[in-house]
Amino acid sequence: MDHSSRHPGTAHHHPDPAAEHGHGNGNGNAHGHAHGNAHGHGPGHGHGAGHGTTWATAMRATLHCLTGCAIGEILGMVVDTALMWGNVPTMVLAIALAFVFGYSFTLFAVVRAGVSMKAALKVALAADTVSIAVMELVDNGIIALVPGAMDAHLSDGLFWYALLGGFAVAFVITTPVNKWMIGRGKGHAVVHAYH
């Protein structure tokens, strides 16, 4: 495509891959922005709510965080059972482990893509912090509100009902948060550059 008619003094060719894939706006660039950022790829290039973000993508990002949170919560309870800790140290440990496991899933995936450990850590922190924090806040809030759940053990059905119920509610609340963040080039959007 010749831009010389639209940009006086320029006679260079820039194919528009977004337009070729049905994402163009008909004026020679992908998003109607200035010529320099027509492609809109990579971290920090989100262009408004929901651009390139589907509910399925947001649900996958949330499920990723939910997996790390679940491992951390359950492992925290295993340690609590073994050491007979009280509620507060158990909750602190479970939340810390949820962050560790949530970050580690992203960290290992990004390192496998050839990124240095230091850079991968930055990606993991940017991708998962808000998602894990919202999930842990909701999940632990629900567990704290369910009568008897804080004192339940791994062998008690109440522990599992409260935990799974808390995760279900946390998933429903965290998914729109992730969709909003990914649509703005934040959260799990920064990980997509390494897939």
Side-chain angles (χ1 to χ4, degrees):
M1 162 182 325
D2 182 9
H3 291 282
S4 59
S5 63
R6 290 191 189 106
H7 301 285
T10 61
H12 51 270
H13 177 74
H14 286 286
D16 185 0
E20 293 169 9
H21 297 291
H23 301 296
N25 62 5
N27 70 358
N29 63 48
H31 305 289
H33 296 292
H35 181 268
N37 190 21
H39 304 293
H41 294 103
H45 290 104
H47 295 291
H51 171 73
T53 307
T54 64
W55 282 105
T57 300
M59 290 190 313
R60 280 191 301 274
T62 305
L63 187 59
H64 166 95
C65 289
L66 178 69
T67 303
C69 290
I71 292 170
E73 295 277 340
I74 294 167
L75 191 55
M77 279 301 295
V78 169
V79 170
D80 168 61
T81 300
L83 301 178
M84 294 190 284
W85 285 358
N87 290 336
V88 173
T90 300
M91 189 174 274
V92 169
L93 177 64
I95 291 170
L97 290 173
F99 274 92
V100 167
F101 281 98
Y103 288 143
S104 68
F105 290 156
T106 298
L107 187 68
F108 293 132
V110 174
V111 167
R112 268 195 324 264
V115 177
S116 73
M117 184 62 82
K118 182 178 178 182
L121 184 59
K122 289 179 183 178
V123 170
L125 291 171
D128 294 329
T129 301
V130 172
S131 182
I132 295 171
V134 170
M135 188 154 300
E136 284 299 300
L137 179 68
V138 172
D139 175 56
N140 284 286
I142 289 172
I143 291 172
L145 293 174
V146 172
M150 290 294 293
D151 296 319
H153 296 282
L154 288 170
S155 59
D156 298 331
L158 180 59
F159 166 77
W160 294 102
Y161 295 133
L163 181 70
L164 296 176
F167 280 142
V169 173
F171 183 85
V172 169
I173 292 173
T174 308
T175 298
V177 172
N178 280 331
K179 185 176 188 311
W180 181 83
M181 290 178 58
I182 293 167
R184 282 155 183 76
K186 308 288 185 198
H188 272 261
V190 300
V191 175
H192 294 178
Y194 301 100
H195 288 294

